[in-house]
Amino acid sequence: MTAKPRLGLILDSTSVPAWTYRLVERLRAADLAEVALLVHSGLEPAAPALLESYLRLERRFLHARADSFARRDLRALLPVTPLIDADDRQTIQSQRLDILINLSSNDFSHSPLRACARLGLWTWDAHPASGFHEVLENQPLTTCELRACLPDSDSPRVIRRAVFATDPISASRNRNHVFIKIASLLLWALKRLELSSDERFLDGLEAVGETKSIAPGFFDLVKLAFAQATRYLDKKVRSRLNREQWIVLAAQSQGGLAPDWGALRPLVPPRDRYWADPMVIERDGQIYIFIEEFMKNTGLGRLACLTLDAQGQVISNQTILERPYHLSYPFIFEHRGETYMIPETAQNRQIELYHCARFPDRWEFVKPLMTDVYAVDSTLLNHAGRWWLFANLKTEDGASSWDELHLFWADSPLSEAWMPHPLNSVISDVRIARPAGPIFEYEGRLHRPSQDCSRGYGFAININRIEVLTETEYRETLIEKILPQGNLRATHTLSRTGDWITIDAVRPLK
């Protein structure tokens, strides 16, 4: 598509929820489309008053900052954009819209309005009670869909789906997360449209059935209040008892994609710390495992290096990098005969580059590769003449770092000018997005380890085969899942070298 699409926005009022205001801000900043028309729904907002009162009390109790439904005046952003009533279809059609987007609280999926725009009416499965029932029913995942109601089709079609971990404590935070996703889904779809040589991709989309939004009643809210209190207290008790510990496991590789749990030797830290994010390197016949060493007394992670003998026994443990902010995920790579490291430094809102002055224990800060960014688990790949950087980003207040994989490229891994992939986030799914270790080649194909955080942080590891990696496309296929075994409760990083493989896991402490 060459010309920018002309959009019409269906609203209940020009006094809009904060999520709508922020979405229009992001639309204007991205410069992907022209907001040509505002359409007044002519209906009363469908927000249930009882639920809104409950969520206001919840936000006050939990000291929640983000409120997606605080009111903002959209005219501050669009002072001269025409406003037309929804029943004036003739005038709407005269505006030659490409897409009508339903930002009202009412359902227009089967409205004749879908024939008033060339590419139909785009809407969501979201509604004012979105995210509530998942918390009430203690469902681990919450899903949000962007849908196209095409002019010549009876069934809405899914343009893109986002999946994130349900907040078990707060229905307000969970609902905020739904409406944060809405903006990301729409921006992704407009970028996809811009990159398409034609628009027929809309015709091949998955059709969805009817979905009904059920407003919670008084007894639902009472039930939720008891469930929230129970989960909150349980979380506090488990946090104080802290009867878990991350450990590292290592073994000589058995040749398969996944490790043989029976062959793995546990490397166990003292009880006052945990070891995680292992990155294994063989050099001069020696095995080195670089790790995050989280110290319970400081509440911060630092980086350390475990040196192993030929039998896999730890013969030394050296602290290699410590900062006044949290460090983890020590990603190490070679470039032009030099050794570099990119640790996770999200708490400092940078992606930082370090050079190895003396292997393995002396590292010097070089520069930030990116600034003012909350990026976790940055992972580099040298492929097809470019360097690719994979990282999960948290781009909005109230969003999560678990579920949005972003991709960048540059001609050098030392570059400060990383180009964002036009289809960022390339994955929006808490089950497969977050990096879980270096990308490796197996049977001539690239494979990306990723975390499955659907049942809690770092529950399991996926191995995904990269099918397409270009400057305009990214696609991968889940090949294998590595689940924690025996009494282990989670595993979230996999690293392999020529003859060795490492993994981490959570074990119970007695």
Side-chain angles (χ1 to χ4, degrees):
M1 188 166 185
T2 53
K4 293 178 186 176
R6 288 170 55 83
L7 307 183
L9 309 181
I10 303 176
L11 309 167
D12 291 325
S13 164
T14 55
S15 175
V16 298
W19 71 265
T20 303
Y21 191 93
R22 176 62 180 142
L23 184 152
V24 175
E25 280 187 321
R26 292 181 66 182
L27 274 175
R28 288 160 58 91
D31 197 28
L32 290 167
E34 173 195 359
V35 180
L37 184 66
L38 303 180
V39 178
H40 187 266
S41 70
L43 301 171
E44 288 296 318
L50 186 61
L51 174 63
E52 292 300 321
S53 298
Y54 181 89
L55 295 179
R56 279 195 296 271
L57 287 172
E58 183 196 277
R59 285 194 299 273
R60 183 177 301 177
F61 177 77
L62 295 174
H63 306 290
R65 293 176 298 167
D67 178 10
S68 293
F69 283 77
R71 309 306 293 188
R72 301 286 300 273
D73 181 8
L74 191 59
R75 281 305 190 188
L77 292 177
L78 303 171
V80 297
T81 306
L83 176 64
I84 298 174
D85 288 336
D87 56 6
D88 189 357
R89 295 206 303 276
Q90 184 175 0
T91 303
I92 295 172
Q93 285 178 318
S94 72
Q95 297 298 306
R96 297 187 145 188
L97 298 175
D98 293 295
I99 308 165
L100 258 175
I101 300 173
N102 181 24
L103 302 180
S104 79
S105 59
N106 292 281
D107 183 10
F108 282 86
S109 299
H110 299 287
S111 164
L113 286 174
R114 63 183 178 170
C116 293
R118 188 170 59 86
L119 299 179
L121 184 145
W122 290 9
T123 188
W124 287 268
D125 60 338
H127 49 82
S130 287
F132 173 85
H133 289 284
E134 291 86 349
V135 181
L136 176 65
E137 297 162 12
N138 205 22
Q139 296 178 11
L141 299 175
T142 300
T143 301
C144 180
E145 292 176 348
L146 172 62
R147 299 172 174 180
C149 306
L150 303 177
D152 55 354
S153 175
D154 293 331
S155 299
R157 299 181 181 274
V158 179
I159 298 175
R160 199 184 197 207
R161 181 180 292 118
V163 182
F164 62 91
T166 301
D167 187 320
I169 305 297
S170 172
S172 174
R173 287 196 299 255
N174 208 55
R175 182 175 73 161
N176 280 342
H177 205 159
V178 170
F179 288 92
I180 287 170
K181 292 295 184 188
I182 286 176
S184 297
L185 291 172
L186 177 59
L187 289 171
W188 183 92
L190 291 174
K191 287 185 284 187
R192 175 73 174 82
L193 196 61
E194 182 182 55
L195 290 171
S196 299
S197 56
D198 60 57
E199 295 145 3
R200 286 179 294 177
F201 80 92
L202 291 170
D203 297 328
L205 299 174
E206 167 194 353
V208 295
E210 293 292 322
T211 55
K212 299 290 184 182
S213 62
I214 303 173
F218 175 77
F219 289 107
D220 290 323
L221 297 176
V222 172
K223 180 181 176 182
L224 176 64
F226 277 107
Q228 286 174 302
T230 301
R231 295 170 201 163
Y232 179 81
L233 291 173
D234 179 64
K235 181 179 179 180
K236 286 293 185 183
V237 169
R238 284 189 289 109
S239 175
R240 286 183 177 276
L241 292 176
N242 194 22
R243 298 192 181 278
E244 292 182 337
Q245 182 185 45
W246 283 91
I247 65 171
V248 170
L249 302 100
Q252 290 188 301
S253 176
Q254 304 299 307
L257 267 176
D260 175 2
W261 283 96
L264 289 167
R265 178 189 296 274
L267 310 177
V268 179
R271 293 176 69 93
D272 66 343
R273 66 197 67 187
Y274 66 61
W275 292 345
D277 294 345
M279 306 285 173
V280 61
I281 291 177
E282 282 188 77
R283 180 173 288 194
D284 300 327
Q286 195 75 64
I287 308 301
Y288 302 92
I289 302 178
F290 293 84
I291 59 169
E292 171 198 349
E293 184 171 58
F294 181 87
M295 306 301 295
K296 294 180 182 178
N297 62 336
T298 65
L300 293 176
R302 62 190 186 188
L303 301 183
C305 178
L306 308 177
T307 305
L308 274 57
D309 62 19
Q311 287 71 45
Q313 299 280 3
V314 176
I315 57 177
S316 74
N317 174 16
Q318 300 168 277
T319 299
I320 64 165
L321 191 62
E322 197 163 10
R323 288 288 183 266
Y325 44 88
H326 180 75
L327 301 175
S328 61
Y329 200 82
F331 183 86
I332 294 173
F333 66 98
E334 303 287 331
H335 179 60
R336 294 181 178 175
E338 299 291 329
T339 304
Y340 294 90
M341 175 170 63
I342 301 176
E344 182 196 303
T345 52
Q347 197 176 87
N348 201 37
R349 295 195 61 82
Q350 291 190 143
I351 298 178
E352 297 178 358
L353 177 69
Y354 290 80
H355 173 255
C356 185
R358 184 182 68 195
F359 192 87
D361 63 335
R362 186 180 296 170
W363 297 82
E364 297 174 345
F365 176 72
V366 179
K367 61 184 177 181
L369 299 183
M370 295 187 198
T371 58
D372 193 27
V373 61
Y374 192 99
V376 298
D377 301 343
S378 296
T379 303
L380 289 183
L381 173 67
N382 187 1
H383 173 69
R386 293 209 182 275
W387 284 84
W388 304 85
L389 190 154
F390 297 72
N392 264 36
L393 266 59
K394 183 166 72 171
T395 57
E396 297 283 325
D397 187 23
S400 170
S401 62
W402 295 4
D403 45 53
E404 297 281 349
L405 178 66
H406 288 242
L407 184 56
F408 305 84
W409 76 80
D411 293 328
S412 165
L414 313 185
S415 174
E416 299 171 55
W418 290 87
M419 292 292 296
H421 198 280
L423 292 182
N424 279 340
S425 60
V426 292
I427 294 177
S428 182
D429 191 332
V430 71
R431 297 169 295 183
I432 56 173
R434 185 164 172 162
I439 296 166
F440 61 91
E441 188 172 304
Y442 181 76
E443 295 184 344
R445 305 290 295 274
L446 292 174
H447 291 77
R448 185 182 76 90
S450 71
Q451 295 185 39
D452 179 351
C453 295
S454 62
R455 292 173 57 180
Y457 171 67
F459 167 68
I461 298 171
N462 310 293
I463 298 180
N464 312 285
R465 186 176 62 220
I466 296 177
E467 308 287 4
V468 179
L469 174 56
T470 71
E471 295 172 6
T472 57
E473 294 287 339
Y474 180 77
R475 190 170 67 253
E476 65 182 32
T477 302
L478 175 61
I479 299 299
E480 191 160 345
K481 186 177 289 291
I482 303 171
L483 297 169
Q485 302 292 309
N487 69 338
L488 301 177
R489 297 173 179 174
T491 178
H492 79 345
T493 307
L494 171 74
S495 174
R496 48 199 296 156
T497 184
D499 294 323
W500 284 81
I501 189 166
T502 61
I503 202 165
D504 57 8
V506 174
R507 67 164 190 163
L509 283 175
K510 296 181 180 179

